[in-house]
Amino acid sequence: MVGFDTLVVVCIVYVAFLFIIAFAAERHAQGGHAGWLRSPVIYTLSLSIYCTAWTFYGAVGYAARSGLEFLTIYLGPTIVFVGWWWFLRKMVRVGRMQRITSVADLISSRYGKSNLLAVIVTLLAVVGTTPYIALQLQSVTLSFDVFAAPAAEAWAPRDRTSTAFWVAVGLALFTVLFGTRSLDANEQHHGVVTAIAVEAVVKLVALLAVGVFVVWGVAGGPGAVLDRIDESAIAQWQGTGGRWVPLIFLSGAAVICLPRMFQVTVVENSDERHLATASWAFPLYLLLMSLFVVPIAVIGLAVQPPDANPDLFVLTLPLAFERETLALLAFLGGFSSATSMVIVAAIALSTMVSNHIVMPLWLRMREGTATVSGDVRNVALTARRLSIGGVLALGYTYYSFTSGSEALAAIGLISFVGVTQALPALVGGLFWRGATRRGAAAGLIAGFALWLYTLFLPSFGGSWLLPATILADGPFSIHWLRPQALFGIGGDDPLIHAMGWSLGVNTALFVVVSLLSFPSPLERLQGAQFVNVFQHSTGPGGWIGGSAAAEDLLIMSQRLLGAPEAQALFQAAAHRQGKEGNLPDPTREFIDLLERELSGSVGAATAHAMVGQITGGVSVSVEDLLAVADETAQIMEYSAQLEAKSKELAETAAQLRTANAMLTQLSVQKDAFLSQISHELRTPMSSIRAFSEILRDTRGLSQEEFQRFSSIIHDESLRLTRLLDDLLDLSVLENGQVTLHPEEGNLADLLDRAVSAVVPEPRDSRLKIRREPVLEDVPLYTDCDRLRQVFINLIGNALKYCDAAEPELRIKVRVNGTRVAVEFKDNGSGIPEGQQSLIFEKFARLSDHSAAGSAGLGLAICREIMRNLGGSISYMPGPGGARFRVSLPRRVAQAA
Amino acid sequence: MAEKESTDRRDADKVTGGRPQMGKHVLLIEDEPNIIEAIRFILERDGWRVSTHSDGADAVEAVGAHRPDVVILDVMLPNRSGFDILKELRGHDGTAALPVLMLTAKGQSRDRALAESVGASRFMTKPFSNQEVLASVRELTGG
């Protein structure tokens, strides 16, 4: 017979064994040979903390009471791991990318690093997990009692409480030792995980051993067992079919939301690919764990006394057949189940409590001084150790209150419904960008409150927390507010009732409030990072480090990460930036990296707040930053528009400048022309006036003088008349009012007459004119007088302006189909390039001081004449003197 | 108009019959042959010695060579503007105070302002009155 003392020794030896394993694993990992510690097998085995003492002992009891319904708690996780593998992969990816430390951290980080949400989820997790820890304490205590006092009547409540107390203390110590060795959760608890994997093996082996013993040792083979099952009540058990779907859903949701499951699935995950192995290996483990549940329950019911507790058949059956070693193995299996769950749950909860409640409070108390005084690293570790103690103390307190009030399975389900309240915010956050912080908070608070009211408080069974009268009649005797029958709906099954109400209202509020509210910029940013995690590879938006002093950041990081780690991180960053020395520039990338590193230690929200204190911003400044970014984008858009506008304006301005230059030039020409006209009119008038005054006032003029002065007056009058004729001529030509007089003629004849009009005595003239008479014989039908006027003008210009020492003018004629071209080319210096475009403008004179007697109208008149004759006159640029080409149809078109 | 002409005639009678400017020297810088002939006739009848020059380019040298008592200067000359010539004359010690009567055929007020600014002693617009020219040159030479 195994005594109580023997059990204690066995327990201590077992724990020491675990301690050694954990210690060895830690050393191994620190030595850099993490190798097999990070294998998918260890990962899968660590997931088995889903199977707690509730599964180990309680499943048999569940089967004995409710038949095959116990399978639901295995089916849920199986469906999630097999069918929702992609969901878990996304959660793990997000967790690794954002350096997530817990469920609370994930939800907080997703909804704009909101600490409010983190606090709600933390409270939910603590309250939801406390009964579960109590459950483990209870199972260990019960199993002790089985050995210590086989007779149920001899149970002494005081002993049981003290057993639970010492178990709680022992677990707290173990957890503190291995759970808080390092601060960064992402350094991962290799020791703890390895110890848990070993425990997973122990509990599986123990349960299988008991099962094998029962099937082959007691019942006499599988066939006999199947017969017994057919005869037993379990086979007839119909259950309530309506419970299956909700229970499968509940256990599936719980495997995602349970803090300890999140810890091993996401936080302790070292390689995303391990999930692929776990997706089939973990369901296989669950299958093995459930393989012998029904046989043990059936045989237990058959051979044990009717008042025996079916939850303890795993222990009591071997004992009944005096297989004490097997019983001891079964005891260790149960002990393993309980301890592994408590250790991981305590680590997960303490991380949440210290990161989201203790550290923010501490930071707020010491606001502004976090950077210069106090060792944050020690504070964080102390907070975490105290939290572990607090969590176990809570569990123990709950156990003391409810000891023996419910069957194990019921407590487990209460806990499941509690932690499942995080599901809508979690799933919505990963898949729905429209999910907002307000929606998540509304859903969580409502679900949490409803769970407390309809399930958690009633579980105390009418204690002072929720008096029995309220349970029966509702608060203030308001009947429809009865905790287990809200609005009178679903009253017969409290669990399904509570689950329906809390999760239903939670989800509805989450969706509706999310739709009605608008996410903050940081939320939108994080939402995109989470929902599109597979497209994003960069971290979340963070600080602009311009004002952050790298030294201050280093001091703070040393406190959180430890001096060597922080210095190594900073050195590596400085090296990447290509800088000498140990301090990198506080660039945005570096600060983002640092924030991620720190969030592994203290959670995203706290890390954000701490970096914010140093970089000179508070968390609001991220929103400011985004607002600034928005404004910048707008300004850039405006400036792009402005640029386009200014380009447009520049083009318009260039056009206007060109037009203005043209107008200015024309205006200058017009002024010059008016001056010229004035000059041309006043000069002959001066002579006329002067000589007429002389004739009038002078007595005794000779006859010759009289003759001469009179003829000067006469000549100058003619000159005036000519000038006026030219002006009028130009005006008429320009207005198109000219009447042409076409007649038959010959080009040679026209040229002859033009030349003799300009140079009446060719031999005396200094200008030599060279012609090609043979080619000039071209019959024309045009206004010959007008055409001659043009020729006279061009020949006259050559005479006046050709500046060669021996001026020479060549006249060439070319017939081209129905047209004829006449070219006048002299050997002077020609017309400067810049002025070639101006010479045909009226009023144009190339200089104020060109030869007198011309008003600058000649070429303008020529152009108008040629236009009227259906031809053109142009200046041919090029070297070697002025060259004008006159082109016209050989037969002018009759005016219509 | 008729009244003014009669006044002119009276003045002309008085002047012609008054004190002829014996021996005084006038240089006429002008390019229009008929105007040169008219002014030369008027002034020589009044007893002036008249020299003429028709090119703007070397007008300043001509002034230096002739050393006249008064200059009649046309604005619009071939090769160089009368304004430029006057400006240069005013810059030389010997001709800084030389009386200059400017003639212009461009009847614009801008030209008058320009003439005053470069130092013209008197400014007259074509067509001019013979008597005014006479009176001006007499006045300018202190007659």
Side-chain angles (χ1 to χ4, degrees), chain B residues 23-74:
Chain B
K24 288 266 174 111
H25 187 192
V26 60
L27 175 60
L28 172 61
I29 307 176
E30 163 70 67
D31 67 323
E32 186 67 26
N34 289 339
I35 294 176
I36 294 172
E37 189 171 348
I39 292 177
R40 179 195 287 278
F41 181 85
I42 298 160
L43 292 178
E44 281 180 350
R45 290 271 295 188
D46 196 42
W48 293 78
R49 187 156 63 86
V50 177
S51 306
T52 63
H53 189 83
S54 298
D55 192 357
D58 54 354
V60 174
E61 286 77 16
V63 172
H66 289 290
R67 304 188 139 281
D69 298 305
V70 60
V71 172
I72 297 173
L73 179 60
D74 188 25

Side-chain angles (χ1 to χ4, degrees), chain A residues 682 685-687 689-690 693, chain B residues 30 35-36 38-39 42 72 103-104 124-133:
Chain A
R682 285 169 188 269
M685 279 166 64
S686 294
S687 301
R689 181 171 178 186
E693 282 184 12
Chain B
E30 163 70 67
I35 294 176
I36 294 172
I39 292 177
I42 298 160
I72 297 173
L103 292 178
T104 177
M124 211 170 274
T125 306
K126 295 176 183 177
F128 45 83
S129 148
N130 293 351
Q131 296 310 321
E132 272 181 50
V133 172

Side-chain angles (χ1 to χ4, degrees), chain A residues 453-600:
Chain A
Y453 183 66
T454 58
L455 197 61
F456 184 72
L457 294 181
S459 77
F460 292 93
S463 69
W464 55 270
L465 280 169
L466 193 72
T469 51
I470 292 182
L471 270 180
D473 302 324
F476 314 108
S477 298
I478 300 170
H479 205 63
W480 52 269
L481 279 182
R482 277 176 302 159
Q484 295 180 332
L486 284 180
F487 302 97
I489 300 168
D492 53 338
D493 191 329
L495 184 82
I496 305 299
H497 168 263
M499 181 183 151
W501 275 109
S502 59
L503 272 180
V505 172
N506 180 341
T507 308
L509 277 177
F510 170 64
V511 172
V512 170
V513 176
S514 286
L515 287 175
L516 293 179
S517 58
F518 198 71
S520 70
L522 186 58
E523 262 184 274
R524 270 180 287 170
L525 199 67
Q526 287 293 87
Q529 295 269 342
F530 275 56
V531 175
N532 305 321
V533 66
F534 293 115
Q535 285 104 64
H536 286 282
S537 54
T538 56
W543 311 104
I544 281 183
S547 63
E551 214 169 335
D552 289 347
L553 286 171
L554 179 61
I555 291 166
M556 181 193 69
S557 308
Q558 282 178 343
R559 294 194 179 118
L560 286 169
L561 305 171
E565 287 88 341
Q567 279 163 14
L569 177 73
F570 275 62
Q571 256 171 7
H575 185 69
R576 272 198 302 281
Q577 289 179 3
K579 286 192 63 176
E580 299 279 328
N582 297 337
L583 284 180
D585 286 328
T587 60
R588 195 196 145 126
E589 288 75 25
F590 172 67
I591 287 177
D592 280 352
L593 168 79
L594 184 63
E595 208 190 316
R596 274 201 303 279
E597 287 291 333
L598 294 179
S599 69

Side-chain angles (χ1 to χ4, degrees), chain A residues 675-676 678-679 682-683 685-687 689-691 693-694 698-699 701 705 708-709 712 716 719 848-849, chain B residues 9 13 32 34-35 37-38 41-42 45 76-77 79 81 105-108 125-130:
Chain A
S675 287
Q676 188 68 25
S678 176
H679 183 261
R682 285 169 188 269
T683 301
M685 279 166 64
S686 294
S687 301
R689 181 171 178 186
F691 283 109
E693 282 184 12
I694 290 170
T698 315
R699 291 175 196 103
L701 283 173
E705 281 175 328
R708 174 164 175 75
F709 295 164
I712 288 175
E716 295 289 1
R719 185 174 156 190
D848 277 355
H849 307 297
Chain B
R9 196 178 296 146
D13 287 343
E32 186 67 26
N34 289 339
I35 294 176
E37 189 171 348
F41 181 85
I42 298 160
R45 290 271 295 188
M76 237 170 135
L77 291 165
N79 302 320
S81 134
K106 296 179 181 178
Q108 285 152 325
T125 306
K126 295 176 183 177
F128 45 83
S129 148
N130 293 351

